[in-house]
Amino acid sequence: MTTAALEVQGLNKNFGALVVANAIDFRLEPGARHALIGPNGAGKTTFVNLLTGRLQPTSGRILLGGDDITALSQEQRVKRGLGRTFQINQLFKGLSVLENVTLAVGERAGVAGDMFRVAGTHRGVVEEAYGLLERLGIADDALKLVREVPYGRQRLVEIALALALNPKVLLLDEPAAGVPQGESKVILDVVAALSPDIAMLIIEHDMDIVFRIAKRITVLVQGAVLIEGTPQEIAADRQVREVYLGERDHG
Amino acid sequence: MAPHARDAARTSPVDSLVTRHRLRPLELLPWVLVIPPYWLFDTYLPLGSEILIMVLFALSLDLILGYAGIVTLGHAAFFGLGAYTAGILAANGWGEPISGLAAAAAVAGATGYVTGRIILRAHGLTLLMMTLVIVLALNEAANRMGWLTGGADGLSGIEMWPLLGLFRFDLYGRTGYVYAAAVLFVAWIFVRRIVHSPFGRSLTGIRENVTRMHAIGVPVRTRQVTIYAIAAVLAGIAGGLLAQTTQSVALTVMTFERSGAILIMLVLGGVGRLYGAFVGVPAYMIAQDNLARLDPVYWYFWVGLMLVVVVLFARGGILGIVDRARDLVVRRRP
Ligand SMILES: Nc1ncnc2c1ncn2[C@@H]1O[C@H](COP(=O)(O)OP(=O)(O)OP(=O)(O)O)[C@@H](O)[C@H]1O
Ligand SMILES: [Mg+2]
């Protein structure tokens, strides 16, 4: 078996009496297009937070490219190539779109701790950030404050911030959440166009989107993996229909 | 923000970000204004020096409050440590001003670094309380160690040597004024450089959204501790300057009240914009000086009222009002 881009062994987490991660075993293969689905409150976001180190697991191990990262801080994991987006925007709202992405590029490039030269000396960093905005089609908004651009475009800034890190593993937490139907296509096109070198895990409620993007699907229910398989297997599974798909029909 | 937005129409987005540190003519205004008082208001030079010193103190606070978003009620701890360090040295036979300031900076900075490492693990109210505890504890320590600090009577016997071996600290405060202005000028260049450096920009990111900073791989705590220590160094220099120019140190250098007052002055001027300190401190201190004379009993009430008005009606302080006024004018003009 090849080394997984990301691997999780026996991951547990509870908030008091509430079990949000229950003995999760999980593999994200190199170059994966993997979806994580499950009803509201299943623990999907918590799972991402555990992977990135925003939360500490009660027990279990997390391996990135074969290395145990369970004890590492969030920033150490990022430096090793783990990037994420947030279900609810986490942006620098009072800064321009370009400056948002510049901060991330500068951090990855290792110049952000520089205290004695003006930021302008690192022109390449700003240019790279701008190039990323062009790639995502939001260069027109480069100088607008994030809080002034429409929500759909803010979601693209979310993705830009993650891509600025050149991640090897990218965790997308409902990238199109809250975006009107018409605009979500732009976001999904960006996701579909990601480099095949990136192993991607996407959390998404819209099953059309999931089936379009994912080659593998994991279903999470009450913090535990219910089943994992190809989209065909998941679509055909009776249990999944009851627990998840069925609920969505009258929900 | 507004000026950058306007420049943007002319230059490319990349250029506008890359050139943002360029000096605008208006930034030199404080340095023009600092010169005439030397001749015009020579009886007010001691007040003038104190204003310059408090500007430096407020500037140091702006680095942590305005840029890094760390709210502190204990910043006077570092001011006081600097004042006592410079004062005690000079009272015990070492009155050389520059090295005295260096010592003040070192003691305050080292304390800032150590306490910063401990307290910056906390957030919000807990952090606020810890900053408060530090200034109260140091004040009590200074009070108890009367043999060293003069305790409640204040430190006496400070004798300064001539500045650079040339200029005596005269009775009118001429040397003190020029000295304070020169130190503030150097500090301003340093602070301005930091603010416009990638490090400074990343502090703004921490203020705007810590969660995101963690997620893009920023060692948030290290950055916070670094800027906290740098701010402590500058506050220590300000305190040292006060001790040297007034040739006295009282327990009031290191109180909660002083921490609060400097916070008020900075908020009055405008937080997180480098020049709030230059506007808020003179406005507050000149108003206070006049109000105290006009109404010796209730002047503090008037100071409070002034602050309430600013906070309620002018978020962003005096500079915020100026910004909005300018935006109005610019927008009216087609
Ligand atoms: N910090 C916390 N403290 C206590 N409980 C929490 C915390 N964070 C999440 N929870 C709870 O854990 C459960 C899982 O939440 P999580 O956000 O991971 O679900 P999710 O699968 O992402 O749901 P959604 O589809 O709505 O985004 C929920 O019941 C939630 O209320
Ligand atoms: Mg979620």
Side-chain angles (χ1 to χ4, degrees):
Chain A
M1 207 157 52
T2 55
T3 312
L6 183 75
E7 187 175 352
V8 169
Q9 299 168 348
L11 203 67
N12 288 296
K13 175 76 185 174
N14 26 292
F15 293 118
L18 181 70
V19 178
V20 280
N22 187 357
I24 298 177
D25 291 315
F26 178 81
R27 273 177 71 92
L28 192 68
E29 302 299 338
R33 294 291 177 268
H34 199 131
L36 181 65
I37 66 173
N40 292 114
K44 304 180 294 296
T45 297
T46 304
F47 182 58
V48 168
N49 287 338
L50 288 166
L51 295 178
T52 60
R54 200 173 169 216
L55 291 174
Q56 276 303 312
T58 319
S59 63
R61 295 210 311 156
I62 302 164
L63 309 169
L64 186 67
D67 300 329
D68 193 329
I69 58 163
T70 319
L72 298 189
S73 67
Q74 291 185 69
E75 37 270 29
Q76 286 168 321
R77 297 182 200 203
V78 172
K79 297 262 141 70
R80 285 171 178 242
L82 185 59
R84 74 167 294 180
T85 67
F86 291 86
Q87 182 174 355
I88 297 164
N89 281 350
Q90 296 286 352
L91 301 169
F92 311 112
K93 287 192 174 176
L95 305 183
S96 70
V97 169
L98 180 58
E99 197 168 8
N100 267 258
V101 180
T102 301
L103 279 175
V105 174
E107 205 60 54
R108 188 215 70 227
V111 305
D114 185 349
M115 205 181 287
F116 298 107
R117 267 173 304 177
V118 291
T121 21
H122 304 286
R123 187 185 177 94
V125 167
V126 185
E127 275 170 350
E128 185 184 332
Y130 189 74
L132 199 50
L133 296 185
E134 283 181 321
R135 206 176 109 202
L136 299 195
I138 46 177
D140 289 347
D141 289 334
L143 290 180
K144 292 210 189 100
L145 299 186
V146 162
R147 75 163 89 84
E148 288 167 357
V149 306
Y151 192 78
R153 302 203 134 203
Q154 290 187 14
R155 291 309 278 167
L156 287 168
V157 180
E158 269 283 332
I159 296 175
L161 281 170
L163 292 180
L165 309 170
N166 285 349
K168 295 196 203 100
V169 172
L170 180 59
L171 312 172
L172 300 169
D173 194 352
E174 302 198 28
V179 177
Q181 282 279 315
E183 289 173 42
S184 64
K185 182 177 180 307
V186 184
I187 295 172
L188 296 165
D189 286 348
V190 167
V191 173
L194 285 176
S195 151
D197 298 335
I198 299 177
M200 181 198 68
L201 177 69
I202 181 172
I203 299 175
E204 179 53 62
H205 277 298
D206 185 326
M207 294 313 288
D208 293 339
I209 296 174
V210 169
F211 286 124
R212 191 137 41 96
I213 293 177
K215 303 261 177 3
R216 277 199 92 70
I217 298 176
T218 296
V219 183
L220 200 68
V221 177
Q222 290 177 12
V225 175
L226 179 71
I227 180 177
E228 189 200 310
T230 63
Q232 291 71 29
E233 288 165 352
I234 299 297
D237 190 90
R238 212 174 34 111
Q239 242 185 327
V240 174
R241 294 190 150 274
E242 275 167 24
V243 170
Y244 187 63
L245 301 177
E247 186 190 80
R248 301 285 304 174
D249 283 346
H250 42 82
Chain B
M1 287 311 142
H4 314 311
R6 253 181 293 131
D7 293 346
R10 272 175 269 124
T11 49
S12 86
V14 170
D15 283 330
S16 86
L17 199 57
V18 164
T19 59
R20 211 168 78 186
H21 60 277
R22 294 219 177 124
L23 194 70
R24 278 162 289 152
L26 207 55
E27 294 183 83
L28 292 173
L29 187 62
W31 308 110
V32 175
L33 292 179
V34 108
I35 298 168
Y38 184 80
W39 288 284
L40 295 182
F41 308 111
D42 50 2
T43 50
Y44 280 101
L45 284 183
L47 175 64
S49 308
E50 199 184 335
I51 289 177
L52 295 174
I53 289 166
M54 294 304 275
V55 168
L56 176 55
F57 186 29
L59 191 61
S60 75
L61 180 62
D62 203 16
L63 277 180
I64 47 179
L65 176 70
Y67 286 90
I70 303 166
V71 186
T72 168
L73 285 175
H75 203 43
F78 307 117
F79 186 87
L81 279 170
Y84 274 113
T85 304
I88 289 169
L89 276 177
N92 290 281
W94 184 257
E96 203 288 308
I98 308 286
S99 54
L101 273 197
V107 170
T111 311
Y113 178 73
V114 172
T115 56
R117 282 196 66 145
I118 298 166
I119 68 172
L120 288 170
R121 286 162 205 274
H123 305 277
L125 202 56
T126 321
L127 175 59
L128 198 66
M129 287 302 131
M130 286 174 149
T131 62
L132 190 55
V133 164
I134 287 174
V135 71
L136 294 178
L138 283 174
N139 184 279
E140 188 51 29
N143 189 20
R144 294 275 173 90
M145 296 198 291
W147 54 272
L148 184 65
T149 62
D153 299 333
L155 184 66
S156 54
I158 295 180
E159 271 183 48
M160 297 312 300
W161 301 352
L163 186 59
L164 304 171
L166 295 173
F167 308 100
R168 303 194 161 283
F169 284 88
D170 55 302
L171 231 63
Y172 304 100
R174 287 175 182 278
T175 304
Y177 185 79
V178 174
Y179 181 36
V183 172
L184 176 61
F185 184 72
V186 173
W188 168 73
I189 291 174
F190 174 73
V191 169
R192 197 176 177 284
R193 177 47 68 96
I194 287 188
V195 162
H196 287 294
S197 73
F199 171 81
R201 301 265 166 95
S202 83
L203 296 179
T204 314
I206 293 174
R207 182 195 68 205
E208 288 275 325
N209 193 332
V210 180
T211 302
R212 170 58 77 177
M213 287 305 260
H214 283 295
I216 58 174
V218 179
V220 170
R221 178 98 48 79
T222 312
R223 299 260 161 92
Q224 286 177 321
V225 171
T226 306
I227 197 63
Y228 195 74
I230 289 174
V233 163
L234 293 172
I237 291 176
L241 270 178
L242 187 73
Q244 294 179 343
T245 55
T246 62
Q247 314 216 347
S248 67
V249 183
L251 281 175
T252 53
V253 291
M254 196 153 55
T255 52
F256 160 64
E257 283 83 357
R258 185 177 289 270
S259 300
I262 201 67
L263 197 64
I264 289 173
M265 292 184 224
L266 183 61
V267 169
L268 183 66
V271 171
R273 43 204 316 163
L274 201 58
Y275 296 99
F278 289 84
V279 173
V281 172
Y284 179 96
M285 288 184 65
I286 291 170
Q288 174 184 324
D289 195 56
N290 285 305
L291 290 172
R293 223 171 315 132
L294 290 175
D295 191 345
V297 183
Y298 292 114
W299 66 270
Y300 213 75
F301 166 78
W302 297 112
V303 170
L305 188 68
M306 185 166 84
L307 187 76
V308 169
V309 168
V310 166
V311 169
L312 282 184
F313 300 109
R315 305 193 92 238
I318 295 171
L319 286 180
I321 300 177
V322 173
D323 264 3
R324 253 167 293 157
R326 193 187 45 206
D327 282 357
L328 273 181
V329 173
V330 171
R331 234 172 270 154
R332 291 258 169 86
R333 220 185 295 147

